[in-house]
Amino acid sequence: MARRPLPRILSSGSASITRGREIARTAADNATDVLHPLITVTRGLRLLAGAGRQKWAATPRERRGHVLFLVAACVLTVALIPYGPLLALISVMGAAAWRGRERTPVRTGPDEAETARLRALYEALVPHFSAPDDPGPLFSHGGDWEKVFGTSYAFDGNGRLTRLQVTYPAYFTDGDPESRARVEQVLHAKSGRGREYHFAWDEESNQLLMTVLAALPTSIAAQRFVTAPGETVLGFTDADAVQRTVPVQDGDTGRDASPVIWRTGSRSTEPHLLIAGHPGSGSTTLMRSLALQALRDGDVLVVEGGGTGEYGFLAGRDGVLAVECGLAGALATLEWAAHETERRLIAANRARQAGHPEPEDIKRPLWLLLDRPSVLGHLAAADGRQDPQELLQVPLRHGRAAGVTVVVADQFDSLDSLTEAVRTHTRARVVLGPATREEVEAVLGTEPHTTPTADVPPGRGYTRLGTGPVLRLQVPATPDPYDPATSEAHRQAVLDLLPGAAPAVRERSEPRATEASPVHTDKLVATPAVAEG
């Protein structure tokens, strides 16, 4: 039996249906475009009505009568004024159109690039936060990164992480410094190099918070800081690291900055300071800053082992006992400092035994600033003479009771040549310049909670006072005012802090270190003999 062909309408029905759907979709789009203002006004009226119902429901019952009376009075006023109903209708339509407008949706989650970065970071942490026998691991290859990161993350405009909170398993050895260092290294590498990251470990809740630290300002120059007697500003740190602020002049504006205060004197637990850094790291800048602050109410004695004349501007100033660059002058000056420390101890002991206050001549603080004493130690060993550091034992051991403060600055490659007395009694430590975590830990006694960067400005580093936390530090700019490369603003700032009796002519800047040595040394060496007699 021959098969009959299908009717024409059935064979071409699919094409007609598709064409009809396209016509209907086009008509709907055109109608939406034409009726878009009406749709917007209708949506706005619905939103305004909903807000009115919520406002009416939130109004207490005893106040609803007053609200109704106020609304009726407004309606009556609008109805009586000329063109009032028309203006009211236009106002309501305008408010409805504004309320019902289409708003750009706010992005609540990461985009594709940020999601890929978070997933890659999650996969990189799997070997550190996973165990083979964990039945329900938080970290596993191909796992869900949202379980450990959640929504505690933030990105900058370039798509790099600025904040991330990681939830890690309880069996992770977060008390092991090496385990922590490995995780911090992975986060640092995957989040972007060239920035300084801070890691806060919360062992109780098994959470790690990583934040990107803003660079400390380098525009604060040498100035007279508002501090109490016995307080010295080493530099400035993050605002949330200390609880104190001081007013400073930052360029042409004044503001409050967070200082790192080092307390010296008889009540200090860290009476002496050790500064370590590479060449050009800013250790000499910090020494100059300390000398200018110490001259406000004390006497300063400077021993420069490098012989570069960085402290020549201090020679001849009131309160500067000596600025020594040679081995003979350094030995004579430090020997006088040891005798002076003993004299102060004896005078204070006799005064206490007699029931009298301490004499005035031992109340004035004495600062011993030694820049690169290892160089003088090598010269002394070659000449068969005594190492100048050996003369620091008495000031280091008894300096707190005698009002003597010792500050030693040297480079990393010469720290092994420091004597045991210097390493033991300098409990306040500062590390400046680019340094690895191992170098920072060797000086401060513990690793910093941040990632040191390879490129830092002079005067940037870390500090730790005794057993306190490790703080970031930026030393105030204190250049040599006699250096031709110093700007006029910085030169004037340093000169304004110098006490009186300045050199009369500029030519003394060349021989100032050698000429000042014999004059001051003769006076200082002769003083202890008179005191002991």
Side-chain angles (χ1 to χ4, degrees), residues 147-231:
K147 293 193 304 182
V148 296
F149 297 155
T151 58
S152 300
Y153 52 82
F155 292 87
D156 58 8
N158 298 325
R160 298 204 300 174
L161 278 169
T162 58
R163 183 181 183 275
L164 178 66
Q165 185 171 345
V166 182
T167 301
Y168 57 87
Y171 54 77
F172 175 73
T173 55
D174 51 8
D176 184 15
E178 296 182 358
S179 301
R180 287 189 176 190
R182 287 193 294 267
V183 174
E184 293 175 1
Q185 184 179 5
V186 170
L187 292 174
H188 180 206
K190 293 296 182 181
S191 300
R193 300 182 183 275
R195 299 184 297 175
E196 194 167 0
Y197 296 87
H198 179 267
F199 299 96
W201 292 83
D202 188 358
E203 294 88 349
E204 295 182 0
S205 58
N206 299 323
Q207 289 183 347
L208 167 62
L209 179 61
M210 180 193 71
T211 54
V212 177
L213 298 176
L216 296 175
T218 59
S219 54
I220 301 178
Q223 54 192 279
R224 193 171 299 279
F225 302 111
V226 181
T227 56
E231 293 182 346

Side-chain angles (χ1 to χ4, degrees), residues 25-320:
R25 187 180 297 108
T26 303
D29 293 341
N30 293 334
T32 302
D33 295 337
V34 173
L35 299 177
H36 183 268
L38 181 60
I39 295 173
T40 302
V41 173
T42 304
R43 185 191 304 118
L45 290 175
R46 188 180 73 252
L47 294 176
L48 290 176
R53 285 195 301 270
Q54 293 178 0
K55 189 69 175 178
W56 176 259
T59 303
R61 292 183 177 272
E62 61 273 9
R63 298 182 57 184
R64 290 184 177 180
H66 302 283
V67 174
L68 289 175
F69 177 77
L70 181 61
V71 171
C74 292
V75 171
L76 181 61
T77 303
V78 171
L80 293 178
I81 63 176
Y83 304 102
L86 179 59
L87 294 176
L89 180 61
I90 295 175
S91 300
V92 171
M93 292 298 102
W98 177 260
R99 188 66 181 272
R101 72 189 188 280
E102 293 183 357
R103 298 178 177 88
T104 303
V106 180
R107 185 171 64 91
T108 57
D111 55 16
E112 295 182 0
E114 295 173 353
T115 302
R117 184 180 290 271
L118 291 174
R119 186 178 293 109
L121 188 58
Y122 172 83
E123 294 291 337
L125 293 175
V126 169
H128 304 278
F129 287 144
S130 61
D133 53 352
D134 189 356
L138 286 174
F139 288 83
S140 61
H141 291 290
D144 186 10
W145 58 268
E146 294 183 356
K147 293 193 304 182
V148 296
F149 297 155
T151 58
S152 300
Y153 52 82
F155 292 87
D156 58 8
N158 298 325
R160 298 204 300 174
L161 278 169
T162 58
R163 183 181 183 275
L164 178 66
Q165 185 171 345
V166 182
T167 301
Y168 57 87
Y171 54 77
F172 175 73
T173 55
D174 51 8
D176 184 15
E178 296 182 358
S179 301
R180 287 189 176 190
R182 287 193 294 267
V183 174
E184 293 175 1
Q185 184 179 5
V186 170
L187 292 174
H188 180 206
K190 293 296 182 181
S191 300
R193 300 182 183 275
R195 299 184 297 175
E196 194 167 0
Y197 296 87
H198 179 267
F199 299 96
W201 292 83
D202 188 358
E203 294 88 349
E204 295 182 0
S205 58
N206 299 323
Q207 289 183 347
L208 167 62
L209 179 61
M210 180 193 71
T211 54
V212 177
L213 298 176
L216 296 175
T218 59
S219 54
I220 301 178
Q223 54 192 279
R224 193 171 299 279
F225 302 111
V226 181
T227 56
E231 293 182 346
T232 305
V233 176
L234 295 179
F236 298 92
T237 184
D238 301 296
D240 57 349
V242 294
Q243 300 179 355
R244 179 175 174 180
T245 60
V246 295
V248 297
Q249 191 70 21
D250 189 355
D252 296 334
T253 62
R255 65 180 183 88
D256 291 337
S258 302
V260 178
I261 300 295
W262 175 41
R263 293 174 176 84
T264 58
S266 59
R267 299 185 181 275
S268 174
T269 57
E270 303 87 19
H272 309 298
L273 176 67
L274 174 63
I275 306 171
H278 292 288
S281 60
S283 59
T284 304
T285 299
L286 179 55
M287 295 283 280
R288 283 192 291 258
S289 176
L290 295 177
L292 292 176
Q293 296 182 62
L295 287 175
R296 183 170 58 179
D297 55 359
D299 298 326
V300 175
L301 191 154
V302 181
V303 175
E304 183 186 1
T308 57
E310 296 286 345
Y311 306 93
F313 69 98
L314 295 174
R317 299 284 179 173
D318 293 342
V320 180

Side-chain angles (χ1 to χ4, degrees), residues 262 271-274 366-370 392 395-396 399 404-408 422 426:
W262 175 41
H272 309 298
L273 176 67
L274 174 63
L366 175 61
W367 288 66
L368 307 180
L369 307 181
L370 289 84
L392 294 176
L396 287 171
V404 179
T405 301
V406 179
V407 180
V408 178
V422 173
T426 53

